[in-house]
Amino acid sequence: TQLVQVSRTAECKAWMRTKIAELEEELAMRSMKSSMTDLLGLLGSFQFLCGDLSAARLSYERAVSLERKAGGTGAGGSKYAAALARVNRQMEAEESFAAIRPSLNASCQEPLNLKDIERRDGAQLSYREFLSEYACKGVPVVLTGLFEAGMFVNGAWGFDKLREDLGSKLIVPRHRVEDSPDWAHLEDSQQMSLSAFLQQVFMDGCGDYVFDWNLPGNAPELVEELRIPRFFSGDLLQHLPEGSLYREAWPSLFIGPKGSRSGLHVDAFGSNFWMAMLHGQKEWTIFNREDVNHLGPSYQISLDPTFSAETRLAHPQSDCPSRTEALERARGWRSLLSEGEVLFVPAGSPHAVNNVTVTLAISANYIDSSNLERALGELQLIAGEDPRAVSVLEHLKQLGAERGENETEKPLFTQWSDFKRTQSKRSRNDPQEAAAE
């Protein structure tokens, strides 16, 4: 956060412009060689931070072109392809906002275009209807009745069970930082035991938040009590080889004090998301994924943007003298998620969450036929920067030919052991062997 703040100062921008001039001079003295690639990447980074988007795009395009000519992109693609995508997305967002800015109300007090999230009985909703009416259309839905139908083998977990089973586990809670560039405006706090956190979470003024804490790695016996609803049991990440990136990351644990918040964000790598509420109430605000550019996205740091609209969402009465978003133009939904309910959030949908009470929930990100193409596009970019994503990308491409099997009707629940075990037979093979089965 401090580095980002420094980068926005006039002094730092002046320094970066000096570096831009030096890099441009050095590049002008060379012919187009592969050794220029990283210099072009560095130049593009400085230009992006200074707001010179057209120049940054040209620098990244030249870097990507040189990589390809040199044959150095590898299975994961160009390491600068993600940076080029970030610039392109930033330019698209700013052009979109510029087109509507003259028509915006300067007071920033127009009502938001939000409606209630639809509620459906999860025990009665078919998988095919869920897929066609919600997942494929990018529409969130609250599923009721799944706890009563047996989603948890021994009953829903509570704070006492977590304290007894996991109290000695070490966690790193997160806390909100208003102008943080980090995902959801949350940054790490001090490490502590889960039992110590549970002692303070009910106290007034607790600012820490257990956010996305991995359960398969920290509580393997506990997750054996979970049964996966049919809407999420076709997770293609479970077809990956054991130990692959993302495969063992979820479900994860969320414990939030009353009044805490996770800021407006989009979940990574084009993934769908579900959350099951075990205790308390959360207020969810979700925006249509087609309206991302109305929310003032910034892609300077990551493919997963931060949003200037978060300021108005978190502080509705605040002024916006130099606004960079059109929040009131964005279509969306807002509803309470209560104990015993399960929420589905479609891939690419910006969302923010307020903890109305002390809350306890579990969640998971996943890929199935409804978001596979979106996920492949994001993973292609990620793989250029993170070698671990290359295997994920290759396996999911192979699985794409089989995605039709995920659209058949499914039993209401899949046991956790079956959810993991039935997928792993294929995952022990390489993609070519898997495709031949």
Side-chain angles (χ1 to χ4, degrees):
T1 299
Q2 291 177 337
L3 286 174
V4 170
Q5 291 172 344
V6 168
S7 74
R8 294 170 179 165
T9 64
E11 294 82 1
C12 187
K13 286 188 180 295
W15 176 82
M16 286 191 288
R17 292 197 181 280
T18 299
K19 291 299 180 183
I20 288 172
E22 292 175 358
L23 286 167
E24 288 175 335
E25 183 178 349
E26 183 174 355
L27 287 164
M29 297 171 62
R30 302 189 186 191
S31 58
M32 290 293 283
K33 299 178 180 178
S34 59
S35 60
M36 297 171 57
T37 303
D38 288 338
L39 287 177
L40 286 165
L42 181 59
L43 176 61
S45 298
F46 284 138
Q47 291 166 329
F48 197 169
L49 289 170
C50 287
D52 301 334
L53 299 184
S54 295
R57 178 165 65 181
L58 178 59
S59 295
Y60 286 136
E61 285 175 343
R62 292 172 66 193
V64 170
S65 176
L66 281 175
E67 276 190 303
R68 289 174 178 164
K69 288 179 180 178
T73 57
S78 168
K79 68 178 180 179
Y80 291 110
L84 178 58
R86 289 191 290 108
V87 172
N88 286 333
R89 292 176 186 183
Q90 192 69 53
M91 294 182 72
E92 179 184 342
E94 294 189 7
E95 289 168 1
S96 174
F97 177 71
I100 63 173
R101 184 172 186 174
S103 63
L104 296 176
N105 187 330
S107 71
C108 300
Q109 296 304 315
E110 291 185 32
L112 302 187
N113 187 13
L114 303 175
K115 55 186 177 182
D116 291 339
I117 302 174
E118 186 177 1
R119 280 172 158 75
R120 297 292 301 271
D121 184 340
Q124 300 299 319
L125 179 65
S126 72
Y127 176 71
R128 290 180 179 178
E129 185 179 358
F130 167 80
L131 200 65
S132 64
E133 296 302 312
Y134 301 103
C136 290
K137 291 182 178 180
V139 177
V141 62
V142 173
L143 303 167
T144 63
L146 292 175
F147 280 35
E148 294 85 348
M151 184 172 173
F152 295 86
V153 174
N154 297 320
W157 309 329
F159 290 112
D160 289 342
K161 182 173 182 59
L162 294 182
R163 188 178 291 106
E164 180 180 346
D165 292 0
L166 306 174
S168 62
K169 295 285 186 177
L170 294 177
I171 61 169
V172 179
R174 312 202 81 194
H175 65 280
R176 178 176 172 81
V177 177
E178 286 289 338
D179 56 352
S180 173
D182 281 7
W183 193 70
H185 293 263
L186 296 172
E187 299 189 4
D188 288 349
S189 295
Q190 295 297 313
Q191 185 182 68
M192 66 180 70
S193 69
L194 182 59
S195 61
F197 177 81
L198 292 175
Q199 287 178 350
Q200 70 179 39
V201 73
F202 288 94
M203 298 179 183
D204 291 339
C206 175
D208 286 338
Y209 191 169
V210 173
F211 190 90
D212 210 18
W213 189 63
N214 176 287
L215 284 173
N218 291 294
E221 296 84 6
L222 189 63
V223 292
E224 290 285 348
E225 300 180 15
L226 176 65
R227 301 203 295 172
I228 305 300
R230 60 182 162 215
F231 316 107
F232 321 124
S233 62
D235 180 15
L236 295 176
L237 296 176
Q238 302 311 313
H239 290 259
L240 301 176
E242 293 181 10
S244 293
L245 182 67
Y246 305 130
R247 186 180 186 271
E248 315 298 341
W250 297 285
S252 57
L253 184 69
F254 289 72
I255 306 174
K258 180 180 178 180
S260 57
R261 174 180 176 83
S262 61
L264 192 62
H265 63 280
V266 175
D267 282 9
F269 67 91
S271 58
N272 287 329
F273 173 90
W274 61 262
M275 173 170 279
M277 280 296 296
L278 296 160
H279 178 90
Q281 282 190 322
K282 291 176 179 281
E283 180 191 64
W284 276 79
T285 303
I286 305 171
F287 290 99
N288 190 306
R289 61 193 180 193
E290 302 301 322
D291 293 345
V292 168
N293 287 340
H294 290 332
L295 303 174
S298 172
Y299 297 93
Q300 279 193 343
I301 305 300
S302 170
L303 288 167
D304 306 318
T306 57
F307 295 93
S308 61
E310 167 60 15
T311 300
R312 286 178 62 198
L313 284 173
H315 308 286
Q317 304 305 316
S318 62
D319 295 327
C320 46
S322 57
R323 65 189 301 184
T324 57
E325 40 74 18
L327 180 59
E328 63 272 22
R329 300 291 181 90
R331 298 160 294 170
W333 302 263
R334 176 175 284 167
S335 287
L336 292 177
L337 184 67
S338 300
E339 185 173 323
E341 297 179 331
V342 179
L343 173 67
F344 164 74
V345 179
S349 302
H351 53 275
V353 186
N354 285 321
N355 289 301
V356 180
T357 68
V358 174
T359 59
L360 171 62
I362 62 169
S363 76
N365 292 71
Y366 71 99
I367 296 173
D368 65 7
S369 62
S370 70
N371 65 321
L372 177 60
E373 292 304 316
R374 178 185 291 267
L376 289 175
E378 293 298 298
L379 286 166
Q380 183 68 57
L381 298 173
I382 294 170
E385 299 180 330
D386 187 345
R388 298 174 301 166
V390 174
S391 174
V392 176
L393 179 65
E394 291 177 341
H395 279 83
L396 288 177
K397 283 180 178 178
Q398 292 291 338
L399 290 166
E402 305 169 12
R403 60 183 172 178
E405 70 181 21
N406 293 315
E407 298 177 5
T408 60
E409 202 48 70
K410 302 172 183 292
L412 181 55
F413 294 112
T414 298
Q415 297 284 354
W416 175 259
S417 57
D418 293 333
F419 177 63
K420 303 299 287 188
R421 185 173 61 246
T422 57
Q423 314 291 357
S424 64
K425 178 180 179 181
R426 184 182 289 108
S427 73
R428 285 193 292 268
N429 301 307
D430 63 28
Q432 290 74 25
E433 291 174 338
E437 284 187 357

